[in-house]
Amino acid sequence: MDDFFRQAHEIYLPAWFAPKASAPFLDYGLTRSISEASGVPEPSLRLLLTILAGYPISILYRLIFLNKTSTIIGESARNTFFLTTGLLMSYYFNSYDIIHPLTTCLGTWIFCRLVGLFAPKNRTFASALSFAFNFGYLLTSYKYTATEDYDICYTMQQCVQCLRMIGYGMDFMDGQPKSSLSKKSNVAAEAVNEKKAVASPLPPPPADNALGTPTPTTATPAPAAAVVVRDKTPISFGRDIALAQLPSLAETIGYAFFPFAFLVGPQFSFSLYKKFISMELFNVPVPASASASAAAAAAAAANGIPQGSLRYATRCFSLGVFYLGLGQRVFIFWWTGKTVLNKYLGIWTIAEGPCVLSGITFNGYDDQGKPEWDGLRNVNPINYEFATSLAQVIASFNMNTNYWAKLYVFKRLRFLGNKNLSALGVLLFLAVWHGTHPGYFFCFGLEFLDMETERRLSTRFGRPINAFISRQQGVANIVLKALWGVINWLLTTSALFFASVPFDLLQWDKSLEATPKKLMVLTASRDLGVYVLVALLGLDIVLSFIMPKKRSKVIKT
């Protein structure tokens, strides 16, 4: 038995999970030539080209399926289009390693199918199998593919698909008939019931002519009250995501390999995909390509410029040339952390363009009755850049993944009976999901520490300061409000960017090799940040004993 496990670890598992050589008929010569000329690594260039390929494919989809004859094309044909193009794009990016996302997709569907046949009243078992299989497969892939640097290989798609298939299995569990749930509640329904505003039904879209464009009208516009505006939460996971029936295998593969979202997201439910291919999601024209192209161009600028700084900034930590002052060290850390995150802002926005062109991002109507197409937006650059709290950052950065984690992890941990423990569980899950490098755990651990510090200090000091500012009049109110906003922005960005540096360095020894003898950049800055956080938390704990919070008494009448 020991020999079997040793051979499995040394021979069989590496042979299966280790990245394979590219297929001989997949010529990456063009990308290699561009890589040598530009200095951009070939895997990064191939990733970008795969995402950009979504633009012509989405335009082709519009020409074939979104025209005056589109009503006679069934959802099976639409699903076949996405299944075929998604598999082709994945094969270009992964080559023979496409076998891994195919394996997890087929495995998840088979688990759900078998449980549905032999244990239809215990779909929880299918969800548990799906979670263990997908997460275990991802971690095993990390073990046999990880290097000391950021790896761009099949694990990138596997990482995205892991969440998608885990959610697929949980949706299948939540779709179990209520009569057999024995007092188990539907978590997805609870998540929506907790929203502050309940989404209203969409108003009827404007009448279309034979060409699929809105028919001009000279009629008096409807009053504003007649336009019902949808609750602008992400459409990725709505109220009806539970799967009463298991989708077909072809639909499952089309969903998993959706060509505009299989590589870097965004995450969304199978329910949304089903509405999209069945044309239940919208029946108004998708937006002109100009808007998506403009968004992609802006994203390319936001991504390309900081990317150059990123490559030199993080590597400077190992050069041993920075004997700088404290202020300079703090600024280097701040700027490096910003460039680390900006590359994600850029690639997510570029990937959003094909989704917009296809129409899957339809998000209801605005207050003027015009359709909106931001339902799968993964980042809100304005809110992100000017956020004055970490809660605002979370709400505007990797939005759909954060919403996935809230729905499928945070709310499923409610049995812990403590929101802090649930939040810590989510951050631990996300750290492991990203990979096994110590930098990920350091990053998400700091995020939890930052959020707890922010929560305590905002309650202890933020509310009294805001109340004081609100009592001021005229210029004093404007100046103090602006000054307080700048202070909050600096504190928020410093906490965020400080934590993102180990996310990019990955290895713990890289973060520690800059000792006072050599650099004195990482060590001093890192220790300073941790000391400040611990000191602030300690201050609040001490103040909680000296000045306990007053609790209002409820008087019953």
Side-chain angles (χ1 to χ4, degrees):
M1 185 62 69
D2 292 339
D3 290 340
F4 171 78
F5 285 113
R6 182 179 58 80
Q7 290 181 359
H9 175 68
E10 296 178 358
I11 301 175
Y12 302 124
L13 290 178
W16 175 259
F17 286 101
K20 299 171 179 59
S22 302
F25 49 86
L26 268 182
D27 184 12
Y28 296 131
L30 177 61
T31 56
R32 290 194 184 97
S33 299
I34 299 176
S35 174
E36 293 173 358
S38 63
V40 178
E42 192 273 335
S44 301
L45 191 60
R46 183 156 29 99
L47 167 66
L48 181 60
L49 290 176
T50 304
I51 295 174
L52 292 177
Y55 282 88
I57 292 176
S58 62
I59 294 174
L60 180 63
Y61 174 78
R62 285 163 57 95
L63 293 175
I64 298 175
F65 296 97
L66 297 180
N67 54 50
K68 60 184 179 181
T69 63
S70 60
T71 55
I72 66 175
I73 302 177
E75 63 181 81
S76 177
R78 300 175 190 277
N79 181 72
T80 301
F81 177 85
F82 292 126
L83 183 152
T84 304
T85 54
L87 288 175
L88 288 175
M89 291 175 65
S90 178
Y91 187 73
Y92 169 76
F93 180 76
N94 293 312
S95 186
Y96 293 135
D97 288 325
I98 192 177
I99 189 65
H100 300 291
L102 274 175
T103 299
T104 51
C105 178
L106 292 173
T108 302
W109 185 85
I110 291 173
F111 288 146
C112 294
R113 179 65 173 170
L114 292 177
V115 171
L117 289 174
F118 298 106
K121 295 184 179 181
N122 192 15
R123 291 189 180 183
T124 304
F125 186 53
S127 177
L129 284 175
S130 172
F131 183 94
F133 175 63
N134 283 280
F135 208 52
Y137 197 102
L138 179 66
L139 294 182
T140 309
S141 300
Y142 284 151
K143 176 177 177 57
Y144 292 101
T145 62
T147 64
E148 293 187 356
D149 297 318
Y150 190 84
D151 303 301
I152 298 181
C153 61
Y154 76 86
T155 54
M156 178 163 284
Q157 178 180 351
Q158 200 67 37
C159 184
V160 173
Q161 188 165 299
C162 175
L163 298 191
R164 192 162 296 174
M165 291 294 98
I166 289 176
Y168 179 92
M170 290 187 177
D171 291 342
F172 181 67
M173 175 185 68
D174 291 337
Q176 182 173 325
K178 293 187 179 297
S179 59
S180 61
L181 286 179
S182 63
K183 300 182 180 180
K184 290 183 181 178
S185 61
N186 189 327
V187 177
E190 288 184 1
V192 177
N193 290 334
E194 291 179 3
K195 293 179 182 178
K196 294 181 180 179
V198 179
S200 301
L202 292 176
D208 297 349
N209 56 25
L211 295 178
T213 56
T215 304
T217 177
T218 57
T220 304
V227 178
V228 181
V229 183
R230 172 186 278 189
D231 177 23
K232 295 305 177 185
T233 53
I235 65 170
S236 47
F237 303 96
R239 290 175 293 177
D240 54 351
I241 60 177
L243 300 176
Q245 301 293 330
L246 182 67
S248 68
L249 179 59
E251 288 179 332
T252 303
I253 297 176
Y255 164 65
F257 285 81
F258 187 66
F260 316 134
F262 76 93
L263 201 49
V264 295
Q267 294 289 350
F268 56 90
S269 65
F270 179 85
S271 174
L272 177 64
Y273 177 74
K274 181 69 172 180
K275 291 179 183 178
F276 176 56
I277 62 175
S278 62
M279 296 300 289
E280 297 177 15
L281 182 63
F282 68 92
N283 54 359
V284 293
V286 293
S289 59
S291 61
S293 300
N303 180 46
I305 295 174
Q307 180 69 12
S309 300
L310 165 70
R311 291 208 311 272
Y312 115 75
T314 52
R315 294 178 182 180
C316 279
F317 290 146
S318 301
L319 295 180
V321 295
F322 286 110
Y323 290 91
L324 304 175
L326 177 61
Q328 293 170 307
R329 295 199 294 268
V330 170
F331 174 76
I332 288 175
F333 240 109
W334 187 93
W335 180 252
T336 302
K338 179 175 178 59
T339 59
V340 165
L341 295 179
N342 269 25
K343 66 178 181 179
Y344 296 100
L345 301 181
I347 202 67
W348 287 332
T349 311
I350 292 175
E352 184 185 351
C355 295
V356 174
L357 285 171
S358 69
I360 195 173
T361 62
F362 175 66
N363 196 22
Y365 302 91
D366 61 14
D367 55 0
Q368 298 179 353
K370 297 180 180 179
E372 295 188 329
W373 306 93
D374 59 352
L376 290 182
R377 172 189 288 185
N378 221 15
V379 63
N380 189 326
I382 301 300
N383 292 352
Y384 168 79
E385 293 292 348
F386 296 99
T388 55
S389 69
L390 290 175
Q392 294 177 9
V393 172
I394 293 173
S396 58
F397 183 84
N398 204 3
M399 297 159 60
N400 292 287
T401 301
N402 289 335
Y403 196 50
W404 186 98
K406 176 183 178 181
L407 180 63
Y408 292 107
V409 182
F410 181 82
K411 291 186 177 297
R412 312 269 172 173
L413 295 177
R414 66 187 184 278
F415 65 88
L416 297 175
N418 187 293
K419 288 187 175 181
N420 285 335
L421 290 178
S422 297
L424 188 60
V426 170
L427 293 175
L428 178 61
F429 172 84
L430 292 177
V432 179
W433 171 66
H434 277 89
T436 56
H437 294 296
Y440 293 135
F441 295 90
F442 188 29
C443 171
F444 285 100
L446 280 177
E447 181 180 343
F448 179 80
L449 189 62
D450 290 337
M451 292 172 62
E452 180 65 14
T453 304
E454 179 185 80
R455 183 185 66 82
R456 288 174 173 269
L457 296 186
S458 62
T459 302
R460 178 72 61 181
F461 301 107
R463 292 176 183 174
I465 293 175
N466 287 326
F468 171 78
I469 294 175
S470 64
R471 291 194 297 267
Q472 307 306 310
Q473 302 293 329
V475 177
N477 178 271
I478 297 174
V479 172
L480 289 176
K481 186 179 293 185
L483 180 61
W484 183 235
V486 171
I487 292 173
N488 281 316
W489 176 80
L490 281 173
L491 292 174
T492 299
T493 55
S494 298
L496 177 68
F497 299 155
F498 174 83
S500 64
V501 171
F503 188 91
D504 189 69
L505 290 175
L506 298 179
Q507 298 300 319
W508 187 251
D509 56 346
K510 288 185 179 180
S511 299
L512 296 180
E513 68 178 354
T515 59
K517 258 185 184 178
K518 294 175 62 178
L519 255 173
M520 301 195 311
V521 176
L522 274 175
T523 302
S525 302
R526 182 192 67 247
D527 292 346
L528 175 65
V530 174
Y531 292 156
V532 169
L533 284 176
V534 173
L536 290 174
L537 279 176
L539 174 63
D540 183 76
I541 293 173
V542 172
L543 290 177
S544 65
F545 289 101
I546 300 176
M547 298 182 298
K549 300 175 185 177
K550 295 181 181 179
R551 297 184 178 180
S552 59
K553 297 181 179 179
V554 179
I555 301 176
K556 295 183 179 180
T557 57

